[in-house]
């Protein structure tokens, strides 16, 4: 099966015309594919070898479409940094078509496809830097088991694009079951288009959550589903130190996916109040504020649903968010700490561990990996302390390890079994800033090899590899400044 064999059923294009504008992609010159994701190909029921490079390049250049595609730019709105913006929509990306696969529908969305009626003052282009960042983020998040959009491929073209500097142009072929956003519902609420909202939500239910159609109120049931899935996703972000950086409501998925990677980053030296977004001076979207922002965004969605669902019922559903978040986070953290059973004090144990890491600005990810080797004796305590760059006699470390050792003794599995379980959820490879910048620089210089190699590591992040000259695992130097990124990242 090849790209041309994909079958498209473009349900979004069957909605009323106000939901979108039909737009042909802009044709970019000298486009070639830098890397193709086997994970992305599998989502489309394709083997990577069956995808003809020239055909894919023509598609990503905006020069040719696949049979059955109908490119559109979606209209939505949203709250950006807490302020409603009515002028949003797909400003540089197009939904090319909705492919029907064995797993269900998959959107093929071309980012960097050129200007649309919703571009405002933007040029509709994407740069290689941001395209690689989103491409690798999808790979990393999927491998960690975090709900996310992904991508089939990333391509560079012959255009030169002005951002903070002049950069190579690029396109990303993004994949997702749907790009339906909180912002779509907000737009219809602001337009007082109740029937349009009903039609959109019924389509989401029919296409993606068909079991909810049997509920007494399917739209209320969909809202409950959005709450539960959002809680799961945010809990996974927190457990793996992911900072989205721009949690506007238009960047929130009705399917609970991580959507629109801009100034994101993973924690390295742990700073709970950090955000990589340099425009977020007040830290609205900092790591430790993400759960609260998610709830705020769900409250905005609830308000938008009031024409269709009783407000009291929506408030009752919102009360489910925090317990769902806490349960999902506890489950993730128990696994990362090597705890097979649940105890009442586990939340305190996890919080104290993170406080210890934050106090010493220890590396978030290698700390969990190193903890797997702890055996409860003085020698393994010294080894762990050295790895964390913490004094072995640090009172907080000694006290925490004693509490941890006592907690482990409540379980029956061996230290070796625990370490294997921890190694299966604590990655060797995380998408660190310095290797990411090195990969981008190499790609901009015409060498896609490091991009491919890093993508391969991120796709199997729990398996250590000894080969290769690149250092994908070292934390930044202790005196390195925190990562700061722009919204064009």
């Amino acid at each position: 099966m090849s790209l041309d064999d994909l079958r498209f059923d473009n349900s979004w294009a069957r909605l009323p015309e106000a939901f979108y504008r039909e737009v042909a992609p802009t044709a970019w010159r000298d486009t070639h594919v830098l890397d193709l994701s086997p994970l992305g190909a599998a989502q489309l029921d394709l083997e990577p070898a069956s995808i003809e490079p020239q055909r894919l390049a023509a598609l990503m250049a905006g020069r040719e479409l696949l049979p059955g595609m109908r490119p559109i730019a979606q209209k939505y709105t949203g709250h950006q940094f807490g302020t409603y913006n009515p002028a949003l929509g797909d400003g540089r990306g197009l939904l090319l078509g909705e492919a029907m696969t064995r797993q269900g529908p998959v959107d093929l969305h071309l980012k960097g496809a050129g200007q649309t009626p919703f571009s405002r003052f933007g040029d509709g282009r994407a740069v290689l830097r941001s395209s690689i960042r989103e491409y690798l983020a999808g790979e990393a998040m999927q491998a960690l088991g975090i709900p996310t959009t992904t991508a089939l491929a990333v391509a560079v073209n012959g255009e030169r694009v002005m951002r903070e500097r002049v950069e190579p142009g690029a396109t990303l072929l993004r994949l997702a079951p749907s790009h339906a956003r909180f912002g779509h519902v907000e737009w219809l609420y602001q337009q007082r288009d109740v029937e349009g909202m009903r039609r959109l939500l019924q389509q989401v239910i029919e296409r993606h959550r068909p079991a909810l159609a049997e509920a007494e109120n399917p739209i209320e049931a969909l809202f409950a589903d959005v709450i539960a899935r959002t809680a799961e996703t945010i809990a996974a972000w927190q457990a793996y130190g992911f900072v989205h950086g721009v949690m506007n409501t238009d960047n929130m998925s009705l399917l609970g996916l991580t959507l629109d990677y801009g100034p994101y980053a993973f924690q390295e030296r742990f700073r709970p109040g950090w955000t990589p977004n340099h425009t977020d001076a007040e830290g609205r979207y900092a790591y430790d504020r993400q759960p609260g922002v998610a709830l705020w965004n769900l409250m905005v969605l609830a308000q938008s649903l009031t024409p269709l669902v009783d407000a009291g019922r929506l408030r009752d559903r919102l009360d489910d968010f925090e317990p769902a978040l806490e349960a999902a986070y506890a489950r993730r953290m128990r696994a990362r700490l090597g705890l097979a059973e649940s105890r009442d004090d586990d939340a305190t144990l996890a919080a104290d561990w993170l406080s210890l890491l934050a106090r010493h600005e220890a590396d978030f990810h290698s700390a969990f990996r190193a903890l797997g080797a702890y055996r409860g004796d003085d020698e393994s305590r010294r080894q762990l302390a050295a790895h964390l760059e913490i004094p072995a006699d640090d009172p907080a470390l000694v006290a925490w390890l004693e509490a941890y050792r006592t907690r482990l003794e409540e379980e029956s599995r061996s230290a070796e079994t625990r370490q294997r379980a921890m190694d299966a959820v604590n990655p060797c490879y995380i998408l660190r800033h310095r290797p990411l910048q090195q990969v981008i620089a190499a790609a901009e210089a015409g060498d896609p090899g490091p991009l491919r190699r890093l993508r391969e590591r991120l796709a199997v992040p729990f398996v250590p590899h000894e080969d290769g000259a690149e250092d994908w695992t070292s934390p930044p130097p202790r005196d390195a400044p925190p990562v700061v990124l722009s919204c064009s990242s």
Side-chain angles (χ1 to χ4, degrees):
M1 180 171 166
S2 68
L3 282 172
D4 286 299
D5 295 318
L6 292 175
R7 181 173 61 87
F8 291 91
D9 179 31
N10 300 315
S11 65
W12 204 275
R14 294 195 293 273
L15 290 168
E17 291 183 1
F19 281 76
Y20 61 87
R21 298 291 186 274
E22 294 202 47
V23 184
T26 301
W28 305 125
R29 60 190 174 89
D30 300 332
T31 297
H32 63 275
V33 176
L34 285 181
D35 195 50
L36 184 146
S37 165
L39 292 174
Q43 287 180 260
L44 295 171
D45 301 332
L46 298 175
E47 293 291 337
S50 74
I51 300 175
E52 184 183 351
Q54 306 313 21
R55 191 73 175 96
L56 180 58
L59 176 64
M60 298 187 70
R63 295 186 175 279
E64 298 178 14
L65 297 174
L66 302 180
M69 282 183 164
R70 186 176 172 183
I72 61 172
Q74 295 179 322
K75 171 61 185 172
Y76 46 83
T77 59
H79 280 76
Q80 298 183 310
F81 292 90
T83 301
Y84 182 70
N85 186 343
L88 302 178
D90 285 338
R92 61 172 178 162
L94 296 176
L95 175 57
L96 298 181
E98 301 164 58
M100 304 307 294
T101 73
R102 288 193 296 266
Q103 297 88 0
V106 176
D107 286 0
L108 278 74
H109 189 274
L110 187 65
K111 291 195 71 172
Q115 288 185 317
T116 80
F118 311 121
S119 296
R120 294 177 286 168
F121 300 105
D123 58 16
R125 304 181 185 207
V127 295
L128 186 57
R129 166 176 51 95
S130 62
S131 300
I132 287 176
R133 281 175 49 80
E134 180 158 358
Y135 177 68
L136 290 177
E139 293 285 311
M141 297 286 269
Q142 185 176 25
L144 293 172
I146 302 175
T148 183
T149 60
T150 55
L152 177 62
V154 60
V156 66
N157 57 51
E159 307 297 326
R160 305 298 290 175
V161 182
M162 182 65 193
R163 293 293 183 261
E164 285 85 359
R165 58 184 174 87
V166 177
E167 302 182 56
T171 51
L172 179 81
L173 192 54
R174 185 163 68 184
L175 307 177
S178 173
H179 283 75
R181 308 163 183 258
F182 288 20
H184 284 111
V185 185
E186 283 189 80
W187 167 63
L188 293 162
Y189 173 74
Q190 295 291 337
Q191 295 290 112
R192 296 183 171 86
D193 186 355
V194 177
E195 287 310 307
M197 186 190 304
R198 188 192 311 276
R199 181 167 177 179
L200 170 66
L201 296 173
Q202 286 175 342
Q203 176 170 296
V204 171
I205 291 168
E206 291 169 4
R207 203 163 180 86
H208 305 286
R209 304 286 182 258
L212 302 181
E214 305 302 319
E216 180 179 349
N217 185 328
I219 292 175
E220 180 185 341
L222 176 62
F223 182 58
D225 182 82
V226 173
I227 289 171
R229 292 174 187 273
T230 301
E232 287 281 347
T233 297
I234 301 301
W237 290 5
Q238 300 304 108
Y240 280 99
F242 175 78
V243 191
H244 186 279
V246 60
M247 287 179 66
N248 298 329
T249 56
D250 55 293
N251 293 337
M252 297 290 290
S253 161
L254 288 177
L255 301 189
L257 307 173
T258 308
L259 177 67
D260 280 349
Y261 291 94
Y264 75 86
F266 284 89
Q267 290 276 3
E268 293 188 74
R269 295 199 176 275
F270 187 41
R271 301 176 176 99
W274 166 71
T275 174
N277 187 344
H278 83 90
T279 63
D280 188 4
E282 297 181 358
R284 176 183 176 89
Y285 297 143
Y287 166 80
D288 58 2
R289 293 189 181 184
Q290 290 183 139
V293 172
L295 178 57
W296 191 92
N297 290 345
L298 286 164
M299 292 170 65
V300 171
L301 178 60
Q303 176 63 41
S304 300
L305 291 172
T306 52
L308 297 176
V309 182
D310 176 75
R313 299 285 296 170
L314 292 167
R315 283 193 296 271
D316 290 344
R317 292 295 191 178
L318 283 168
D319 289 341
D320 295 335
F321 175 74
E322 290 190 30
L325 175 75
E326 291 172 1
Y329 179 72
R331 186 171 62 252
R332 293 265 187 176
M333 289 300 287
R334 279 197 302 272
R336 296 208 74 181
L337 292 171
L339 306 176
E341 304 165 9
S342 175
R343 298 287 189 274
D344 291 342
D345 291 339
D346 288 348
T348 300
L349 188 71
D352 288 348
W353 169 246
L354 294 184
S355 294
L356 179 67
L357 300 185
R359 185 179 305 117
H360 295 276
E361 293 192 351
D363 184 65
F364 188 85
H365 296 282
S366 60
F368 282 94
R369 188 81 182 188
L371 185 62
Y374 180 66
R375 294 294 182 266
D377 56 32
D378 289 344
E379 178 58 27
S380 62
R381 171 171 57 85
R382 285 190 290 270
Q383 291 174 355
L384 177 63
H387 185 89
L388 302 182
E389 302 173 81
I390 295 175
D393 60 352
D394 178 83
L397 174 63
V398 172
W400 188 85
L401 286 176
E402 177 59 24
Y404 183 56
R405 183 188 63 77
T406 300
R407 174 66 180 83
L408 292 177
E409 289 175 351
E410 298 176 8
E411 302 194 353
S412 59
R413 62 182 178 176
S414 68
E416 292 75 17
T417 300
R418 172 180 61 86
Q419 183 170 8
R420 284 195 297 271
M422 292 178 71
D423 286 351
V425 296
N426 293 323
C428 301
Y429 304 102
I430 200 74
L431 189 51
R432 295 180 179 275
H433 181 68
R434 184 171 51 177
L436 181 51
Q437 294 301 103
Q438 292 169 349
V439 162
I440 291 168
E444 289 180 339
D447 180 9
L451 168 63
R452 174 184 53 79
R453 290 192 292 275
L454 181 55
R455 188 256 303 155
E456 289 172 346
R457 294 291 181 268
L458 294 172
V460 283
F462 308 110
V463 180
H465 293 266
E466 300 299 330
D467 58 316
E470 296 97 347
D471 178 10
W472 303 133
T473 61
S474 294
R478 185 165 289 280
D479 59 355
V483 174
V484 178
L485 301 163
S486 72
C487 284
S488 69
S489 297

